[in-house]
């Protein structure tokens, strides 16, 4: 009650207008409102942030006893006499929580003041309660009177994040349980409705978690519908809510026509036909991805924009700073947007200033010494570029920025060089990052030596590798190659087949030179890896061509620089596959169809929607931003990564030839790569082939926790397989995700079926794993590892010179300069660093695995709330295990002198670039 008083100003029980005039009528009223005796009333946990029921069980008991004598005569009457009584009207109150926008522009401030004035004369916010029951007279759902949200004008200027408003409803005692509430916004401006709590029912407070923007009626005339937190399978939907459930889903699907407005809440599909900009020039045209055999791809959110002027099949572009359409509730909230804005300013400065310098100098600057790279962190970009007083005076706005924001012009020191500046040079660190770096999902056990290509030999030349036993035999501690394979000592990262089909085009681009690489690793007796050979392949040019070469660990100064260049090419290959396949395709693009289908086919009341909800947050927005400036023609990826204009074609090829949904569970992926084998004697049913594999060791803990939580959840709602088969919304969601969202691969036999609870547990676990832990492992180490470009160059500009090459002499004369000139230029490096800095940043409003908005009331099912708290506790325990592993000196791939601990799967994090933290969803 104290909490209720604090939020509302006074308790409902202190207001006589909420209590009927006579005790007997109260008794009759409560008989109609209180749950049956064999049902337990679940109390909200102590940490609940919302008011509790306004009429308590004690009040009901007290009223019962006080009226026992006066009602003794009527108690002998038949029960029908009670129900025949005229329903009693009584009041209930709503507490409406609205989240304010902290920073407003002038237009928003003016409109807010206008709304405050007009609210007093009837242009206000109106709510209406909808019962779960049907009115036998009207054959429609029972509804309350319309109630006006109070005191908007008085509270509109409060400078706080959240404001609580109230509204009062008059309802009949036979109203039943409220299941939905409609909201009409007669103001000029949208507002963010966080939640509504209804108090006054004897059964307890009724919660409506909303978390949605409510648009002005002038823009969207229809009433907004919000359902209570009580979950219902479609077949269990109360009669009063069935039509509303169907209506809300129709609203979200739209009709597939027209241009989407930024205020719309419509979820629909389209192909990736907006990456190119043919109107800007033929060099900016790009193939449409999706809808063809040549370029299959998942679907993205439809915007409905008009086609471009020069290509009717390409959608017209929307360039920054104009926003791309995503459904309104998918847009970043304010604190997230502010984090991106600060990082974007930093990126703009870092891109602008080198561009200014380039226009003032004869040529774009390269790194010529390692000290040039170091200067980006110690001296700042302006000094590094020589943009000092004489130049800055000619560019006043840059001078002003320099004076006020010098911190923006320096880069933070990446973690990879913070503990050991030279660690990246060592072979053991190069190998360690294959299992504990930012892309630990490409390494596989070597099963056949030499490895064999699967590409068509008629097109791409002989399938045989140039690797021979003599290349690696001296590195195997006395073993033969076959013995090392049999004892699980040899591993490989193989980018041959994914790169070779595109190399001819890539190497014809200005400033791009690359190989298709294979790297062989040997596991030492201490459990660490060391690279023993790198195969470098170029396009096949005939029987006499030397299209393949093998580089082995160095024996002198010259071969040392050759080896460093070979490792740089491996890292460049790895950076491209990491970004275009493992990160973007697997955790961003492939999830989008499942998210679109969830909003279109699963009601907000559906328990599976409630489970998935936190794992869908912000993904459509970040993917739209990627289409706008990252993966588009002449975007960051094309500018800063080796594949250039062929980047998204590589991603499409990987989708066609390598990706399988059923292999996206962690256990299946590890087994497929030979990095684990099934073992029922192990705690999680798997035995790792490489015991000290930090990503896999930590990941299996999180995977198992997710799977256990999902299994508990699914079995609670689907005790019988028939319930899954007969759940029309669930089946429509999964079917649409595949047949529409992944239409180009819909006929593949590997798609899991959805016939029983274990099928559903597997599908949901894969989605949640990829949205949370898998994405975190691939994303939040990008700046800590890639921010120092020599450690992980995203592109290469020179091949390794042969003795017969003209540039071999310059390589011998100054190998450091040759090496650095083979890496990205200064402009390319600073662009890349600024972007991965943004992508590696946690925003202040990040929700981590085991957390939820409104944790006590996101579901009205008490057993599920308890199960979620158990899951949260398990996640916290996993974090402690990970912390202890990072202090275990026997685990040399995560603990040692200058070795970075492996924290990318540690669940929690502070805001900023921390190289740790597992958010619920793909939001960066």
């Amino acid at each position: 009650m104290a909490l209720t008083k604090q939020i509302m100003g006074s308790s409902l029980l202190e207001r006589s207008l909420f209590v009927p005039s006579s005790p007997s009528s109260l008794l009759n009223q409560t008989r109609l409102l209180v749950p049956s005796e064999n049902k337990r009333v679940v109390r909200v946990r102590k940490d609940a942030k919302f008011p509790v029921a306004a009429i308590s069980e004690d009040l009901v008991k007290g009223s019962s006893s006080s009226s026992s004598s006066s009602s003794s005569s009527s108690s002998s009457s038949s029960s029908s006499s009670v129900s025949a009584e005229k329903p009693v009207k009584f009041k209930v109150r709503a507490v409406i929580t609205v989240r304010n926008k902290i920073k407003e522009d002038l237009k928003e401030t003016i409109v807010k003041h206008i709304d405050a004035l007009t609210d007093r004369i009837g242009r206000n916010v109106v709510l209406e309660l909808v019962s779960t029951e049907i009115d036998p007279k009207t054959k429609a759902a029972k509804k309350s009177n319309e109630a006006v949200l109070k005191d908007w004008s008085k509270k509109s200027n409060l400078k706080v994040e959240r404001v609580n408003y109230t509204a009062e409803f008059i309802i009949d005692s036979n109203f039943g349980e409220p299941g939905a509430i409609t909201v009409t916004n007669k103001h000029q401006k949208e507002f963010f409705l966080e939640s509504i709590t209804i108090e006054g029912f004897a059964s307890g407070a009724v919660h409506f978690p909303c978390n949605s923007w409510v648009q002005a009626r002038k823009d969207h005339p229809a009433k907004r519908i919000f359902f209570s937190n009580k979950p219902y399978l479609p077949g269990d939907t109360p009669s009063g809510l069935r039509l509303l459930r169907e209506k809300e889903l129709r609203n979200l699907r739209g009709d597939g026509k027209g241009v989407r407005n930024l205020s719309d809440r419509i979820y629909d599909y389209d192909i990736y036909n907006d990456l190119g900009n043919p109107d800007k020039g033929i060099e900016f045209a790009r193939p449409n991805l999706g809808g063809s055999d040549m370029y299959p791809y998942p679907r993205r959110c439809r915007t409905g924009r008009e086609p471009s002027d020069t290509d009717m099949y390409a959608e017209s572009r929307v360039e920054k700073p104009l926003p791309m359409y995503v459904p309104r509730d998918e847009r970043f909230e304010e604190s997230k947007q502010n984090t991106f804005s600060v990082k974007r300013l930093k990126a703009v400065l870092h891109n602008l200033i080198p561009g200014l310098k380039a226009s003032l100098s004869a040529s774009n600057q390269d790194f010529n010494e390692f000290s040039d790279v170091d200067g980006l962190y110690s001296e700042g970009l302006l000094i590094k570029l020589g943009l000092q007083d004489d130049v800055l005076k000619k560019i006043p706005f840059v001078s002003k920025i320099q004076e006020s924001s010098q911190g923006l012009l320096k880069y933070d020191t990446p973690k990879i060089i913070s503990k050991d500046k030279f660690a990246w040079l060592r072979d053991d660190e190069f190998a360690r990052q294959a299992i504990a770096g930012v892309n630990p999902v490409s390494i596989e056990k070597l099963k056949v030596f030499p490895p064999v290509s699967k590409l068509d030999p008629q097109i791409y030349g002989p399938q045989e590798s140039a690797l021979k036993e003599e290349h690696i035999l001296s590195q195997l501690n006395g073993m033969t190659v076959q013995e090392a394979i049999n004892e699980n000592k040899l591993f490989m990262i193989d980018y041959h087949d994914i790169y070779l089909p595109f190399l001819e085009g890539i190497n014809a681009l200005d400033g791009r030179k690359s190989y298709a690489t294979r790297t062989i690793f040997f596991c030492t007796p201490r459990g660490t890896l060391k690279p023993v050979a790198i195969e470098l392949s170029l396009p096949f040019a005939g029987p006499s061509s030397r299209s393949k070469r093998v580089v082995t660990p160095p024996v002198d100064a010259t071969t040392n620089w050759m080896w460093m260049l070979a490792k740089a090419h491996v890292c460049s290959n790895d950076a491209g596959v990491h970004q275009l396949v493992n990160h973007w395709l697997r955790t961003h693009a492939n999830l989008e169809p499942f998210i679109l289908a969830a909003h279109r086919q699963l009601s907000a009341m559906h328990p599976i929607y409630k489970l998935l909800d936190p794992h869908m947050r912000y993904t459509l927005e970040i993917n739209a931003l990627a289409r706008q400036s990252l993966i588009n023609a002449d975007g960051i990826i094309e500018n800063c990564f080796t594949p250039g204009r062929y980047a998204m074609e590589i991603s499409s090829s990987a989708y066609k030839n390598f990706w399988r949904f059923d292999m996206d569970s962690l256990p299946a992926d590890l087994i497929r790569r030979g990095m684990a084998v099934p073992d029922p004697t192990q705690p999680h049913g798997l035995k790792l082939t490489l015991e000290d594999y930090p990503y896999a060791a930590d990941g299996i803990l999180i995977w198992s926790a997710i799977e256990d939580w999902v299994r508990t959840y699914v079995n609670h709602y689907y005790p019988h397989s028939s319930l899954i088969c007969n759940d029309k919304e669930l089946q429509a969601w999964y079917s649409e995700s595949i047949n529409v969202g992944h239409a180009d691969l819909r006929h593949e036999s590997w798609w899991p079926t959805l016939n029983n609870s274990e099928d559903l547990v597997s599908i949901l676990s894969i989605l949640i794993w990829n949205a949370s832990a898998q994405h975190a492992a691939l994303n939040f180490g990008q700046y800590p590892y890639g921010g120092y470009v020599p450690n992980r160059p995203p592109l290469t500009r020179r091949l390794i010179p042969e003795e017969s090459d003209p540039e071999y002499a310059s390589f011998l004369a100054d190998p450091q300069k040759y090496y650095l000139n083979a890496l990205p230029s200064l402009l390319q490096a600073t662009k890349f660093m600024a972007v991965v800095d943004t992508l590696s940043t946690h925003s202040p409003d990040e929700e981590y695995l085991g957390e939820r908005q409104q944790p006590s009331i996101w579901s009205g099912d008490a057993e599920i709330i308890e199960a979620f708290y158990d899951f949260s506790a398990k996640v916290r325990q996993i974090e402690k295990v990970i912390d202890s592993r990072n202090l275990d000196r026997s685990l040399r791939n995560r603990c040692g002198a200058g070795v970075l601990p492996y924290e990318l799967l540690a669940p929690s994090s502070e805001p900023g670039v921390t190289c740790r933290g597992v958010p619920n969803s793909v939001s960066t």
Side-chain angles (χ1 to χ4, degrees):
M1 275 306 165
L3 178 62
T4 309
K5 287 183 182 181
Q6 182 181 347
I7 294 176
M8 298 188 179
S10 63
S11 168
L12 295 179
L13 295 181
E14 294 172 347
R15 299 191 177 189
S16 59
L17 54 83
F18 279 86
V19 182
S21 55
S22 73
S24 60
S25 60
L26 173 63
L27 175 61
N28 293 333
Q29 173 186 321
T30 54
R31 280 176 181 158
L32 292 164
L33 292 171
V34 179
S36 60
E37 292 179 8
N38 59 350
K39 274 191 181 177
R40 289 181 57 200
V41 177
V42 178
R43 298 188 180 278
V44 179
R45 284 173 165 255
K46 291 182 180 178
D47 61 351
K49 299 178 181 178
F50 293 85
V52 295
I55 298 181
S56 69
E57 292 177 275
D58 292 338
L59 175 62
V60 175
K61 290 176 183 175
S63 304
S64 238
S65 57
S66 63
S67 60
S68 59
S69 58
S70 60
S71 61
S72 57
S73 58
S74 61
S75 63
S76 58
S77 305
S78 69
S79 59
S80 60
S81 63
V82 177
S83 58
E85 284 187 23
K86 187 177 180 180
V88 177
K89 292 191 178 295
F90 68 105
K91 290 184 180 180
V92 295
R93 182 159 68 168
V95 178
I96 302 100
T97 302
V98 172
R99 190 185 304 164
N100 276 345
K101 190 173 181 181
I102 303 303
K103 294 181 180 179
E104 296 176 329
D105 58 30
L106 180 60
K107 181 181 177 181
E108 289 173 324
T109 303
I110 292 171
V111 173
K112 184 177 77 171
H113 286 307
I114 292 173
D115 282 343
L117 292 172
T118 57
D119 187 85
R120 300 177 182 178
I121 58 172
R123 284 173 52 181
N124 42 31
V125 177
V126 178
L127 300 89
E128 186 178 43
L129 281 177
V130 181
S131 173
T132 57
E133 299 178 4
I134 292 288
D135 187 326
K137 294 180 181 178
T138 64
K139 307 299 181 184
K142 297 176 182 177
K143 296 180 181 179
S144 70
N145 65 307
E146 290 190 341
V148 173
L149 190 146
K150 295 181 178 179
D151 297 330
W152 185 280
S153 58
K154 291 181 182 178
K155 297 181 178 180
S156 63
N157 288 321
L158 290 177
K159 301 296 182 183
V160 292
E161 186 177 6
R162 290 172 175 81
V163 179
N164 288 329
Y165 298 92
T166 60
E168 292 179 353
F169 299 93
I170 299 175
I171 61 173
D172 289 339
S173 54
N174 63 1
F175 181 80
E177 181 183 355
I181 191 166
T182 63
V183 181
T184 304
N185 177 14
K186 298 180 183 179
H187 292 162
Q188 297 292 306
K189 182 183 169 188
E190 66 178 5
F191 65 89
F192 188 84
L193 180 57
E194 188 169 273
S195 64
I196 301 173
T197 300
I198 307 297
E199 298 182 302
F201 287 91
S203 54
V206 183
H207 300 289
F208 294 80
C210 304
N211 298 307
S212 180
W213 291 93
V214 179
Q215 299 301 320
R217 186 172 65 174
K218 66 181 180 63
D219 299 320
H220 293 267
K223 295 178 179 180
R224 279 299 308 277
I225 304 165
F226 296 99
F227 297 105
S228 76
N229 63 350
K230 191 169 182 179
Y232 296 102
L233 295 176
D236 298 331
T237 309
S239 54
L241 302 180
R242 286 174 192 160
L243 291 178
L244 282 182
R245 183 172 187 148
E246 294 169 5
K247 180 180 180 182
E248 177 67 355
L249 286 174
R250 285 197 303 272
N251 292 341
L252 293 169
R253 291 181 198 127
D255 59 7
K257 300 176 183 177
V259 180
R260 297 273 63 85
N261 297 313
L262 292 176
S263 59
D264 287 346
R265 294 171 56 249
I266 294 176
Y267 298 77
D268 206 353
Y269 303 91
D270 209 341
I271 62 172
Y272 281 71
N273 60 352
D274 63 343
L275 300 182
N277 191 354
D279 293 347
K280 192 176 176 181
I282 189 64
E283 67 272 25
F284 297 102
R286 295 293 180 271
N288 292 338
L289 304 185
S292 70
D293 292 335
M294 182 174 287
Y295 299 113
Y297 217 60
R299 300 303 187 257
R300 48 94 174 176
C301 184
R302 179 184 178 277
T303 68
R305 295 194 304 271
E306 296 295 323
S308 64
D309 294 335
T310 54
D311 183 352
M312 65 179 292
Y313 298 107
E315 192 170 84
S316 55
R317 293 278 302 166
V318 172
E319 305 293 356
K320 291 187 301 185
L322 296 176
M324 297 269 276
Y325 169 77
V326 292
R328 182 64 183 98
D329 291 339
E330 307 301 320
R331 299 267 295 276
F332 288 163
E333 292 175 20
E334 193 172 9
S335 61
K336 177 80 170 179
Q337 188 62 56
N338 290 342
T339 300
F340 255 69
S341 297
V342 170
K343 293 289 184 177
R344 187 175 291 168
L345 171 61
K346 190 172 183 177
V348 166
L349 292 174
H350 286 152
N351 295 341
L352 168 70
I353 294 166
L356 290 170
K357 175 65 176 180
S359 68
L360 296 168
S361 61
S363 61
N364 191 10
Q365 283 195 338
D366 287 328
F367 297 112
N368 293 316
E369 299 177 357
F370 284 107
S371 59
D372 292 341
V373 184
D374 298 339
L376 293 174
Y377 317 107
S378 58
E379 300 170 11
L381 197 53
L382 294 179
I383 297 174
K384 193 71 252 157
L385 287 163
L387 286 175
Q388 296 172 1
D389 292 343
D390 56 334
V391 178
L392 287 173
K393 286 175 184 175
K394 301 175 187 176
I395 317 170
F397 72 95
V398 175
S399 177
K400 193 170 183 180
I401 290 170
Q402 186 195 26
E403 292 170 10
S404 61
S405 307
Q406 180 62 42
L408 287 175
L409 302 176
K410 285 186 181 180
Y411 289 91
D412 295 328
T413 302
K415 281 197 172 186
I416 185 59
I417 58 170
S418 64
K419 293 184 73 173
D420 183 348
K421 185 176 179 180
F422 304 107
W424 68 277
L425 286 165
R426 299 196 315 267
D427 283 357
D428 64 287
E429 177 60 23
F430 170 78
R432 190 191 72 84
Q433 290 184 33
I435 53 175
V438 72
N439 187 34
V441 299
S442 289
I443 191 167
E444 58 186 296
K445 178 184 173 240
L446 186 64
K447 298 169 184 174
V448 176
F449 187 88
V452 179
S453 170
K454 295 179 181 177
L455 296 175
D456 185 346
Q458 298 298 317
I459 301 173
Y460 300 108
Q463 295 177 316
E464 291 76 26
S465 167
L467 285 160
K468 306 296 182 188
E469 189 159 337
E470 55 263 30
H471 288 129
I472 66 173
L473 199 58
S474 63
Q475 303 284 329
L476 304 187
N477 288 7
M479 292 182 178
T480 66
V481 172
Q482 193 57 50
E483 285 172 344
I485 290 174
N486 293 342
E487 295 190 27
N488 298 332
K489 296 295 185 183
L490 286 176
F491 299 87
M492 175 176 65
I493 294 181
D494 186 356
Y495 294 138
H496 179 276
D497 286 6
I498 197 168
Y499 269 95
L500 195 66
F502 299 93
L503 269 189
E504 191 170 349
I506 290 170
N507 288 342
L509 297 172
D510 185 35
R512 296 289 199 285
K513 289 293 180 286
S514 183
Y515 301 96
T517 66
R518 284 191 182 107
T519 309
I520 308 297
F521 299 91
F522 177 71
C523 180
T524 71
R526 291 191 155 202
T528 58
L529 296 178
K530 66 175 182 179
V532 294
I534 295 172
E535 182 184 25
L536 306 169
S537 298
L538 291 171
F540 181 67
S544 60
S545 70
R546 293 188 59 192
S547 59
K548 300 177 189 290
R549 65 189 291 188
V550 176
V551 182
T552 54
V555 294
D556 57 27
T558 301
T559 54
N560 180 68
W561 284 102
M562 295 276 195
W563 181 244
M564 283 183 61
L565 282 165
K567 290 195 295 181
H569 277 282
V570 171
C571 288
S572 171
N573 271 200
D574 190 72
V577 172
H578 162 259
Q579 200 67 269
L580 297 168
V581 181
N582 295 332
H583 179 206
W584 166 255
L585 174 65
R586 289 176 62 184
T587 69
H588 283 258
N590 280 342
L591 287 179
E592 186 157 346
F594 289 95
I595 293 171
L596 291 170
H599 287 284
R600 289 167 51 85
Q601 301 295 344
L602 295 176
S603 166
M605 287 189 282
H606 200 292
I608 300 304
Y609 180 90
K610 291 181 180 293
L611 175 69
L612 290 174
D613 186 32
H615 305 290
M616 303 188 291
R617 187 182 187 218
Y618 292 154
T619 302
L620 298 187
E621 169 83 338
I622 195 65
N623 286 4
L625 290 172
R627 299 203 318 275
Q628 189 173 43
S629 58
L630 286 181
I631 62 173
N632 59 304
D634 201 35
I636 298 298
I637 300 295
E638 288 196 4
N639 274 291
C640 298
F641 286 78
T642 293
R645 64 176 294 135
Y646 301 102
M648 291 305 291
E649 291 183 40
I650 289 178
S651 188
S652 171
S653 173
Y655 179 67
K656 179 179 183 178
N657 298 312
F658 299 104
W659 179 76
R660 287 176 50 160
F661 180 82
D662 61 328
M663 292 291 108
D664 261 1
S665 79
L666 179 61
D669 178 54
L670 292 173
I671 293 168
R672 176 183 62 84
R673 292 189 283 120
M675 300 305 292
V677 293
D679 186 345
T681 67
Q682 296 295 312
H684 304 287
L686 283 183
K687 179 178 175 58
L688 296 181
T689 308
L690 184 65
E691 186 176 347
D692 185 13
Y693 183 2
Y695 159 78
D698 294 355
I700 202 66
L701 297 179
I702 293 180
W703 166 268
S704 296
I706 290 171
E707 189 179 46
D708 289 347
W709 155 236
V710 171
R711 181 172 286 107
T712 298
Y713 194 95
V714 166
N715 289 340
H716 180 77
Y717 291 106
Y718 298 100
H720 308 293
S721 295
S722 60
L723 292 171
I724 289 176
C725 295
N726 295 326
D727 187 332
K728 293 180 180 179
E729 287 185 10
L730 183 71
Q731 293 293 337
W733 163 69
Y734 188 55
S735 175
E736 185 175 284
S737 298
I738 297 170
N739 293 310
V740 182
H742 286 277
D744 302 330
L745 300 182
R746 66 186 181 278
H747 296 306
E748 296 293 338
S749 60
W750 42 254
W751 284 106
T753 57
L754 181 50
N755 296 324
N756 55 53
S757 60
E758 279 307 301
D759 290 345
L760 183 55
V761 168
S762 176
I763 292 164
L764 294 173
S765 297
I766 289 173
L767 294 174
I768 294 172
W769 160 258
N770 279 286
S772 57
Q774 181 73 296
H775 178 260
L778 295 166
N779 182 72
F780 293 103
Q782 289 191 83
Y783 187 79
Y785 282 99
Y788 186 70
V789 169
N791 175 63
R792 190 174 170 76
L795 68 81
T796 44
R797 297 184 291 156
R798 288 185 174 186
L799 299 176
I800 302 175
E802 303 273 7
E803 288 189 31
S804 58
D805 293 339
E807 52 191 9
Y808 191 76
S810 61
F811 164 69
L812 290 179
D814 192 345
Q816 178 182 236
K817 182 177 180 180
Y818 188 96
Y819 174 83
L820 288 170
N821 288 176
L823 305 189
S825 68
L826 177 60
L827 178 57
Q828 289 168 329
T830 53
K831 272 187 178 182
F832 170 75
M833 290 162 65
V835 169
V836 294
D837 180 38
T838 302
L839 297 179
S840 302
T841 300
H842 292 293
S843 61
D845 71 336
E846 202 89 87
E847 288 178 14
Y848 298 96
L849 196 65
E851 299 177 350
R852 285 196 68 133
Q853 292 182 2
Q854 302 147 337
S856 297
I857 63 155
W858 63 270
S859 172
D861 194 319
E863 285 185 45
I864 288 301
I865 294 294
E866 285 298 323
F868 178 72
Y869 279 116
D870 291 342
F871 169 62
S872 301
K874 189 177 292 185
V875 170
R876 290 193 296 272
Q877 186 59 39
I878 289 171
E879 183 154 15
K880 293 178 181 178
V881 173
I882 291 172
D883 290 342
S884 67
R885 286 175 174 175
N886 285 324
L887 298 174
D888 186 344
R889 293 179 186 174
S890 70
L891 301 176
R892 292 177 174 84
N893 292 318
R894 63 195 306 160
C895 182
V899 175
L900 289 187
Y902 188 72
E903 298 180 305
L904 286 168
L905 289 175
S908 69
S909 175
E910 296 297 318
V913 180
T914 62
C915 203
R916 63 177 290 138
V918 179
N920 277 322
S921 62
V922 176
S923 58
T924 51

